[in-house]
Amino acid sequence: NGGTALLVQDSSSSGAISDEMLLLSENGIPYDNITAADLATTNLSSYSLIVVAVHQSLPAGSMGLLEEFVREGGILELHDGDGSDLQDLHGGVRVQRQYSLLNHVLNRFHPLVRDVPDTFKGGNRWFASGTSDCFYSRVPEGTDAITVDDYGSMTLIEYPLGTGVVVASCQLLESSFEGGFDAGTILRNS
């Protein structure tokens, strides 16, 4: 795989450059941007990282293409929060709707939670509306549960699949980043 990232995003919440685009650029990571509909016709093997941003409805068959990408050594980052259409993930991971005002760091040593307080909030630029809106269950052996919600359910996970890795978040990453909330730090660290 090359060093270029692929951002799958139909639109950003602000209608202009997305937070993911901004952060990839700030970190000097070259990237291509496609819509979810373009996944079936894109050569995924030329990428080392695929980021599926919030609010994406993936067409039928796309999850299979993404799973093949990961099994062959790729890194897949899924942002399931902010009202995204929930689809079960690769490796049998189930995604379920559940709102939580606060989230809690379990794995303080994971780089995604660098500079995130042990208990943290999310929200948008106007008010603290919540930190996560889903959780993961039926996770495979070897899953790193990085954060949990107020109910103890996993909201940020990383797990191996084939020779690759899936990172999935239920936090409201984009709106929290835009609003300056702690959960937005996870997006900056990703």
Side-chain angles (χ1 to χ4, degrees):
N1 291 344
T4 301
L6 179 63
L7 175 61
V8 181
Q9 184 170 45
D10 292 338
S11 65
S12 69
S13 62
S14 65
I17 188 167
S18 74
D19 299 319
E20 288 88 353
M21 290 174 176
L22 175 71
L23 292 169
L24 288 166
S25 296
E26 278 183 6
N27 290 307
I29 299 170
Y31 69 92
D32 294 329
N33 186 39
I34 63 169
T35 66
D38 295 327
L39 269 171
T41 59
T42 301
N43 179 5
L44 302 182
S45 66
S46 58
Y47 299 97
S48 56
L49 167 69
I50 296 177
V51 178
V52 179
V54 298
H55 305 299
Q56 306 311 304
S57 294
L58 296 176
S62 296
M63 291 301 272
L65 294 171
L66 293 171
E67 180 168 348
E68 181 181 331
F69 165 79
V70 175
R71 287 190 182 280
E72 294 177 2
I75 300 169
L76 176 62
E77 187 175 308
L78 298 164
H79 301 172
D80 286 319
D82 276 328
S84 292
D85 291 336
L86 301 181
Q87 298 179 32
D88 287 349
L89 306 183
H90 314 96
V93 174
R94 184 161 168 74
V95 187
Q96 297 174 268
R97 184 70 64 206
Q98 178 168 279
Y99 298 92
S100 183
L101 183 59
L102 299 172
N103 273 206
H104 312 277
V105 175
L106 282 184
N107 180 351
R108 172 52 49 208
F109 300 104
H110 198 285
L112 286 175
V113 291
R114 186 184 68 245
D115 300 326
V116 175
D118 289 339
T119 296
F120 61 98
K121 290 183 182 178
N124 61 38
R125 64 185 86 154
W126 301 283
F127 58 93
S129 58
T131 302
S132 58
D133 65 2
C134 62
F135 71 95
Y136 302 107
S137 63
R138 293 191 339 221
V139 298
E141 188 175 326
T143 295
D144 186 354
I146 304 164
T147 66
V148 295
D149 62 16
D150 284 330
Y151 309 99
S153 303
M154 294 175 278
T155 55
L156 177 60
I157 60 174
E158 178 179 306
Y159 61 95
L161 187 65
T163 58
V165 174
V166 176
V167 178
S169 168
C170 284
Q171 281 88 17
L172 311 178
L173 295 179
E174 222 177 49
S175 58
S176 294
F177 178 78
E178 292 168 2
F181 288 90
D182 293 325
T185 304
I186 295 169
L187 182 62
R188 181 169 291 286
N189 291 339
S190 65

